[in-house]
Amino acid sequence: MDVLYFAWVRERIGIPRETIDTSAETVAELVEELRAREDRYAAAFSDITALRVAVDQQLTDFHASLDGAREVAFFPPMTGG
Amino acid sequence: MDIRVQQAPFDFGAEASAFSQGHDKVGAIVTFTGIVRDADSGGLATMEIEHYPGMTEAALTEIAEQACARWSLADALIIHRYGVLRPGEQIMMVATASRHRKDAFEAAEYLMDYLKSRAPFWKKEHGADGSQWVAARDEDEEALTRW
């Protein structure tokens, strides 16, 4: 699965994207896996209320299923316009 | 419907003029353009706009389709830039065309409200005091509740 990071999430983790092997069934489980990896992930995911998530480029929430998902992206609230 | 996500500047006048041509049943064109605003202290050097290629185009198309479903529009245009911009540069524009102005105005406001907090762009300000990500504003999220 491809995991993408944008804005300050990308800066805290230090990479824009990575491919990982995961058995996580939901976004929340994936976040727990990532948090446990290293401090930089724990820092980026310390407060998920400050984050948004997209699965296969569709905005969703942290309870969303990852069944069949190819791409998950984490980022702060968007500031377009 | 025309959706463009680009690094290059655009010519607002030329875009507005081109958009207004070729619609014989249209009585109203509304355009909005957003510009990089300097800080009150004048300390903004550049604004960097990051986006999520692929999702950005899909999100903008979905927002425009929703506007077309809700209001009677002959056409809609969204141009949004990314990359490094300076104060005074145009960031984005929307344009809507309809028979009557109410639809064109409301649809343009809807596009702007959704662009602000549902299109995957992030702004970072670079200035003399360092760099910081622009935080999303609660009122931008609240603005969506009126639709």
Side-chain angles (χ1 to χ4, degrees):
Chain A
M1 181 183 297
D2 290 327
V3 185
L4 284 67
Y5 311 108
F6 291 95
W8 58 255
V9 183
R10 169 179 56 73
E11 289 178 341
R12 280 187 200 175
I13 292 173
I15 48 172
R17 66 186 301 153
E18 60 189 319
T19 302
I20 62 168
D21 284 322
T22 177
S23 53
E25 290 181 2
T26 65
V27 173
E29 286 180 25
L30 176 62
V31 168
E32 285 310 312
E33 265 184 31
L34 292 168
R35 265 185 188 147
R37 279 179 149 192
E38 288 176 48
D39 287 350
R40 59 196 169 108
Y41 289 92
F45 291 105
S46 61
D47 175 14
I48 59 166
T49 64
L51 295 178
R52 301 291 178 268
V53 60
V55 174
D56 289 333
Q57 304 192 355
Q58 285 284 333
L59 271 181
T60 183
D61 58 50
F62 287 81
H63 305 296
S65 166
L66 293 180
D67 186 26
R70 296 180 309 276
E71 183 174 300
V72 179
F74 296 101
F75 40 79
M78 296 158 276
T79 52
Chain B
M1 211 168 79
D2 187 2
I3 310 293
R4 282 180 254 161
V5 182
Q6 62 188 51
Q7 196 159 6
F10 58 87
D11 181 334
F12 173 68
E15 295 293 349
S17 179
F19 182 79
S20 68
Q21 305 298 311
H23 303 295
D24 54 355
K25 298 274 172 52
V26 161
I29 303 277
V30 166
T31 63
F32 173 87
T33 185
I35 293 171
V36 179
R37 179 179 56 231
D38 201 349
D40 291 338
S41 58
L44 181 71
T46 57
M47 178 176 277
E48 188 180 347
I49 300 175
E50 180 172 335
H51 80 115
Y52 183 171
M55 180 173 165
T56 308
E57 291 80 356
L60 294 180
T61 300
E62 192 178 332
I63 292 167
E65 283 172 352
Q66 283 165 357
C68 289
R70 185 158 175 169
W71 288 278
S72 178
L73 299 181
D75 204 1
L77 165 71
I78 303 174
I79 302 175
H80 203 303
R81 294 178 62 196
Y82 61 91
V84 177
L85 282 70
R86 296 184 178 284
E89 281 194 66
Q90 289 157 351
I91 302 176
M92 51 74 60
M93 73 172 284
V94 303
T96 52
S98 65
R99 285 180 68 81
H100 302 290
R101 70 175 180 208
K102 190 166 183 286
D103 280 359
F105 269 120
E106 287 185 4
E109 283 210 79
Y110 176 93
L111 292 179
M112 284 310 307
D113 282 349
Y114 272 84
L115 266 168
K116 278 265 170 204
S117 43
R118 291 292 183 274
F121 291 99
W122 301 274
K123 296 188 182 117
K124 190 175 193 181
E125 295 174 338
H126 300 279
D129 301 333
S131 301
Q132 59 183 10
W133 290 98
V134 175
R137 303 186 316 160
D138 289 342
E139 49 263 50
D140 289 338
E141 191 65 31
E142 285 161 18
L144 300 185
T145 61
R146 67 175 164 148
W147 304 111

